Amino acid sequence: KMKLTYYGHACFLVESNGKRILFDPFITPNELAKDIRIEDIACDYIAISHGHADHIADAVAIATRTQATVICAFEIYEWMSKQGVANFRPMNTGGKWSSDFGSVKCVVAQHSSCLPDGTYGANPMGFVFNTAEGDFYYSGDTALTMDMQLIPRWAKLKFAVLPIGDNFTMGIEDAIAAADFIQCDKIIGVHYDTFGYIVIDHEAAKQQFAAAGKELILLNIGETIEL
Ligand code: NI
Ligand code: MN
């Protein structure tokens, strides 16, 4: 079984086949995640969807300590390598890479991206993972987009991780439509509650998903589930 641990905002870790992939590390600046110590996080890969600080804040520190391979856009690779990070798989939208975890395909996300110091951060991306224990999709920060209809060509999703906080990304209603497009009924919600603009009503959100025949999973920060 795959395991997923939630570290707050849009940061989570998936363990599949003994390989640990960390996504969008933003922990030390997140008041809601103050009980998580980044020094305790072990990972083999770090996947970064785009350059905004709320997705990359702890990436250099964790990559440097763990020597994990960072999967990210080429421009983010250039920026992080100048800060001493050594191991990368620079990619771009449409590209696929196979390694010991299975494969990852970078897909379109409709959003913006620049790095914390103003450096160009490339186009934002989502990721489709195929692993021996199942397939999953992390959309990154994105609007609902017709491109999501392509995802069932590449994966039979066991679960998907989607932003649901509205304002900067999709909200609940569009995330339910996205779940239809990607043909997936088990959604882990991220990118909510961290800032005043994106606070949501958890029970109402779960009920809206349930009414559409889908499950919305909202994890406590630090919680691990099996999928
Ligand atoms: Ni963003
Ligand atoms: Mn964001």
Side-chain angles (χ1 to χ4, degrees), residues 7 13 22 27 36-43 62 65-66:
Y7 291 120
L13 183 131
L22 180 69
I27 295 162
I36 306 293
R37 285 166 38 90
I38 58 169
E39 296 77 16
D40 296 339
I41 297 175
C43 57
I62 297 173
R65 179 179 52 80
T66 60

Side-chain angles (χ1 to χ4, degrees), residues 9-10 50 52 54-55 111 141 168-169 191 195:
H9 198 51
H50 65 296
H52 288 158
D54 62 316
H55 298 259
H111 190 65
D141 284 8
F168 298 117
T169 66
H191 216 277
F195 317 112

